[in-house]
Amino acid sequence: QVQLIESGGGLVQAGGSLRLSCAASGRTFSTGAMGWFRQGPGKEREFVAAVNRGGSTTSYADSVKGRFTISRDNAKNTVYLQMNSLKPEDTAVYYCAARTSVLVMTRSYAYDYWGQGTQVTVSS
């Protein structure tokens, strides 16, 4: 099993930045691609970004392209989401997820492990 612990959420003004971190523990050798999803008020969970095992391939939702950057440090078993130029519509609970497969996927059902979520609130 793999445990994912998220941190870095909080309250920020529009135009500001936050960096989310997700630390994996347990059977981390089974962790492949990792991703971030979010769920805003009254909305379904949606894909935000993902990165493959080696960090060479990334994928982003159209809504965050150019503003968010996903990266990972395998030595620390940690994935990051750098969020810049934040907008009120970015307000959501952000979830870290991990796959056993090394390939990037954008569907939530493709992920095997999930963090507890961290709240990001962007004020106008």
Side-chain angles (χ1 to χ4, degrees):
Q1 74 284 4
V2 174
Q3 295 81 46
L4 304 176
I5 301 177
E6 298 137 320
S7 62
L11 175 65
V12 65
Q13 293 184 352
S17 299
L18 284 174
R19 188 181 74 162
L20 305 183
S21 299
C22 175
S25 62
R27 300 172 69 94
T28 56
F29 59 84
S30 66
T31 301
M34 299 187 71
W36 289 94
F37 293 77
R38 67 186 183 186
Q39 186 168 14
K43 299 180 179 180
E44 295 184 351
R45 187 173 300 185
E46 65 176 352
F47 170 76
V48 176
V51 60
N52 72 339
R53 175 68 174 177
S56 60
T57 302
T58 58
S59 182
Y60 297 93
D62 289 341
S63 60
V64 306
K65 286 181 179 177
R67 299 188 298 120
F68 291 10
T69 302
I70 188 170
S71 62
R72 66 191 299 166
D73 185 341
N74 289 336
K76 297 181 179 179
N77 295 315
T78 301
V79 64
Y80 305 95
L81 184 67
Q82 178 66 47
M83 304 185 294
N84 298 326
S85 301
L86 283 162
K87 304 175 181 179
E89 48 263 49
D90 294 318
T91 295
V93 177
Y94 283 71
Y95 297 90
C96 175
R99 305 185 69 211
T100 55
S101 171
V102 299
L103 301 178
V104 167
M105 294 291 286
T106 61
R107 309 300 296 184
S108 61
Y109 63 74
Y111 288 80
D112 305 296
Y113 308 102
W114 292 84
Q116 78 287 352
T118 185
Q119 177 70 46
V120 172
T121 301
V122 184
S123 63
S124 300

